[in-house]
């Protein structure tokens, strides 16, 4: 500050005693230098004020916080990615194991005489049982009484499986006239024999498939307590 003051005073002196163009130039240069110095001094005092120190501190803190947050995010992302990768690998391995197991079960069922059609395997069991006992037997074999979802399936059964009347997984026990499959789905297309269902002897709540000459329209309702052979179906997802 003292130096600036001197410069300024000297400048004034030079101004007073200027006599030619050189001293005029010197006066301009020194005045300019003085102004520059003044501006610098002002800036320095502003930068060193408590408020600006506080701003700087806040900015540094914010920067550190950002870096910290970024680090946390990166660490979490890497951890998440690692977990995702290991879970995916585990899932793929389980899928492969399940697939192998499924193929082995299919082969085993095939060796035992089950017939394959469109993701399912079928077997006609020739002991005679009522509808509930037949269903129970299927379930004990990891299957259920057959559910017929298409004309192809209906006709496949007649081509490949037996020559008698057999229980299928259709019943209206819960509500008379409302036919439901064993998986709880409603009957949409029925392949009833002519005149069926007729509840001829009173309560005929269960359905048989008649392995007769008609390979399509061959269902009839019968009392569930009657004994027939039965058709089980296992579905395979491999
Ligand atoms: O025993 C009941 C059963 O009797 C007949 O089949 C043998 C009836 N069929 C016809 O009348 C064509 C079934 O509808 C009936 O359930
Ligand atoms: Ca009937």
């Amino acid at each position: 500050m003292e130096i600036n003051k001197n410069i300024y005073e000297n400048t004034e002196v030079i101004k007073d005693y200027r006599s030619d163009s050189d001293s005029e130039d010197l006066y301009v240069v020194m005045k300019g230098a003085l102004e520059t110095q003044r501006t610098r001094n002002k800036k320095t005092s502003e930068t060193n004020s408590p408020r600006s120190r506080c701003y700087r501190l806040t900015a540094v803190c914010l920067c550190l916080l950002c870096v910290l947050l970024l680090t946390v995010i990166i660490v979490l992302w890497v951890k998440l990615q690692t977990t995702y990768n290991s879970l995916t690998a585990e899932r793929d391995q389980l899928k492969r194991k399940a697939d192998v197991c499924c193929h082995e079960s299919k082969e085993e069922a095939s060796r035992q005489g089950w017939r394959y059609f469109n993701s399912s395997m079928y077997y006609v069991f020739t002991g005679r049982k009522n509808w509930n006992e037949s269903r129970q037997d299927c379930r004990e074999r990891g299957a259920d009484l057959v559910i017929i979802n298409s004309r192809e399936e209906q006709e496949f059964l007649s081509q490949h499986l037996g020559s008698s009347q057999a229980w299928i997984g259709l019943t209206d026990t819960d509500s008379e006239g409302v036919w439901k499959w064993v998986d709880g789905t409603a009957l949409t297309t029925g392949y009833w024999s002519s005149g069926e269902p007729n509840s001829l002897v009173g309560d005929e709540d269960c359905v048989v498939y008649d392995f007769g000459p008609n390979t399509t329209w061959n269902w009839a309702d019968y009392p569930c307590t009657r004994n027939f052979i039965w058709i089980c179906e296992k579905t395979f997802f491999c």
Side-chain angles (χ1 to χ4, degrees):
M1 288 296 279
E2 194 57 36
I3 295 165
N4 296 335
K5 199 177 162 210
N6 291 340
I7 293 170
Y8 186 75
E9 278 165 4
N10 291 339
T11 310
E12 291 303 315
V13 171
I14 291 163
K15 188 186 172 194
D16 289 343
Y17 291 97
R18 71 182 185 271
S19 55
D20 53 25
S21 62
D22 283 352
S23 60
E24 179 69 23
D25 287 349
L26 181 62
Y27 170 76
V28 170
V29 167
M30 292 200 72
K31 198 165 184 190
L34 181 66
E35 285 308 317
T36 311
Q37 191 60 43
R38 268 187 187 153
T39 317
R40 265 191 210 138
N41 289 346
K42 198 177 168 202
K43 274 185 187 162
T44 312
S45 66
E46 274 172 7
T47 8
N48 285 331
S49 74
R51 180 180 284 189
S52 75
R53 275 204 301 276
C54 185
Y55 284 155
R56 275 206 304 278
L57 195 68
T58 311
V60 168
C61 286
L62 279 175
C63 277
L64 284 176
L65 200 67
C66 284
V67 170
L68 190 72
L69 274 176
L70 207 65
T71 313
V72 169
I73 288 169
I74 290 170
V75 168
L76 283 179
W77 187 83
V78 169
K79 273 193 170 180
L80 225 72
Q81 195 63 37
T82 315
T83 313
Y84 173 81
N85 288 344
S86 74
L87 282 176
T88 307
E90 215 172 299
R91 183 205 59 194
D92 290 347
Q93 198 184 0
L94 282 174
K95 261 189 184 172
R96 279 194 296 276
K97 273 188 185 169
D99 213 41
V100 168
C101 190
C102 187
H103 276 104
E104 282 174 2
S105 311
K106 229 157 90 174
E107 280 164 16
E108 178 57 26
S110 183
R111 275 194 292 275
Q112 289 173 2
W114 290 67
R115 303 294 298 269
Y116 185 78
F117 175 77
N118 214 5
S119 302
S120 282
M121 295 196 88
Y122 304 85
Y123 198 99
V124 180
F125 289 92
T126 50
R128 294 166 72 86
K129 291 181 186 289
N130 68 37
W131 191 88
N132 280 312
E133 290 165 349
S134 300
R135 184 171 187 208
Q136 186 55 32
D137 179 81
C138 290
R139 287 161 75 104
E140 282 165 9
R141 298 170 192 274
D144 208 333
L145 282 172
V146 64
I147 295 171
I148 300 168
N149 305 105
S150 66
R151 187 162 176 155
E152 291 72 35
E153 190 177 10
Q154 164 74 6
E155 291 176 351
F156 163 82
L157 293 177
S158 72
Q159 285 160 22
H160 297 277
L161 303 163
S163 56
S164 175
Q165 287 166 304
W167 288 124
I168 62 172
L170 186 64
T171 175
D172 71 343
T173 307
D174 291 348
S175 175
E176 184 59 32
V178 180
W179 295 98
K180 273 200 302 188
W181 293 108
V182 283
D183 66 354
T185 55
L187 172 67
T188 48
T189 308
Y191 299 94
W192 300 104
S193 293
S194 165
E196 301 285 350
N198 56 10
S199 293
L200 195 75
V201 296
D203 216 14
E204 297 192 327
D205 289 345
C206 293
V207 179
V208 297
Y209 182 106
D210 191 346
F211 288 103
N214 194 331
T215 56
T216 306
W217 310 102
N218 59 15
W219 296 359
D221 59 342
Y222 272 79
C224 301
T225 49
R226 292 279 192 90
N227 291 326
F228 290 112
I229 63 172
W230 64 98
I231 313 168
C232 297
E233 175 183 7
K234 279 187 207 202
T235 303
F236 290 87
F237 298 100
C238 60

